[in-house]
């Protein structure tokens, strides 16, 4: 039986609430245990002021405990584009063949970690140049799967994004 723990990374502020809520509902209904991580010990604030208390700081993440890692987008995700600690975590998950998923502006985080070089990916169109300068190949689709990596364009693709996380058997 596969590990049913999923780690969701939320920006401290301005995360996309629709992406978060839809992904959370779909994964929860599929029986996954969700753990929220951020780089704050207090609250994360969504773009419409939803408050979410993280379960852990992302500096304390232990990759073996999780089936995959999911990055929620929104304007706040841009603050993590060049976060070296997250890049190390992403590489641990990817090297273990685990799911690495990101939506909206968050695919740039995983691209900057170096795991999307020469792979198809998608992000919100306003971040396309940041994505492609890492060597990723931008594909204008709602959701793109490349090996164990899932990327999605925006909140309109959140449900399809979450269902794809469930469907990959790693």
């Amino acid at each position: 039986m596969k590990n049913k723990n999923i780690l969701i990374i939320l920006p401290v502020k301005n995360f996309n609430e629709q992406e978060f809520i839809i992904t959370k509902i779909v994964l929860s209904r599929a029986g996954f245990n969700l753990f929220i991580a951020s780089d704050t010990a207090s609250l994360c604030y969504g773009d419409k002021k939803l408050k979410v208390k993280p379960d852990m700081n992302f500096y304390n993440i232990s990759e073996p405990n999780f089936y995959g890692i999911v990055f929620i987008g929104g304007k706040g995700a841009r603050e993590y584009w060049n976060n070296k600690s997250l890049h190390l975590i992403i590489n641990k998950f990817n090297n273990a063949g685990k799911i690495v998923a990101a939506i909206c502006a968050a695919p740039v985080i995983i691209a900057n970690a170096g795991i999307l070089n020469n792979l198809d990916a998608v992000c919100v169109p306003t971040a396309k140049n940041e994505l492609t300068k890492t060597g990723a190949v931008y594909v204008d689709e709602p959701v793109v799967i490349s090996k164990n990596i899932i990327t999605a364009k925006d909140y309109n693709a959140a449900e399809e994004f979450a269902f794809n996380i469930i469907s990959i058997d790693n």
Side-chain angles (χ1 to χ4, degrees), residues 3-43:
N3 180 337
K4 294 292 241 178
N5 297 329
I6 296 271
L7 184 62
I8 297 178
I9 304 293
L10 277 186
V12 173
K13 56 186 174 183
N14 293 317
F15 65 85
N16 186 293
E17 292 179 17
Q18 287 178 287
E19 294 167 3
F20 172 67
I21 292 168
I22 292 168
T23 301
K24 180 180 175 185
I25 289 170
V26 171
L27 295 176
S28 294
R29 286 184 180 162
F32 284 92
N33 305 310
L34 305 179
F35 296 86
I36 311 299
S38 190
D39 60 343
T40 183
S42 60
L43 297 173

Side-chain angles (χ1 to χ4, degrees), residues 66-105:
F66 298 97
Y67 169 74
I69 188 167
V70 177
F71 291 84
I72 299 298
K75 290 179 187 171
R78 294 171 184 267
E79 299 297 318
Y80 295 154
W81 281 359
N82 297 306
N83 187 297
K84 300 300 181 201
S85 295
L86 281 178
H87 295 167
L88 289 172
I89 292 165
I90 290 163
N91 277 286
K92 284 181 183 177
F93 274 80
N94 189 56
N95 291 340
K98 295 188 177 188
I99 288 176
V100 177
I103 187 168
C104 189

Side-chain angles (χ1 to χ4, degrees), residues 91-151:
N91 277 286
K92 284 181 183 177
F93 274 80
N94 189 56
N95 291 340
K98 295 188 177 188
I99 288 176
V100 177
I103 187 168
C104 189
V108 175
I109 302 167
I110 65 174
N112 284 340
I115 68 167
L116 285 176
N117 193 28
N118 295 317
L119 294 178
D120 292 348
V122 67
C123 64
V124 66
T126 56
K128 177 183 174 182
N129 289 340
E130 291 295 320
L131 184 80
T132 57
K133 77 180 186 183
T134 67
V137 179
Y138 182 85
V139 179
D140 191 9
E141 295 289 336
V143 176
V144 175
I145 301 170
S146 294
K147 300 191 236 178
N148 60 309
I149 303 166
I150 304 167
T151 54

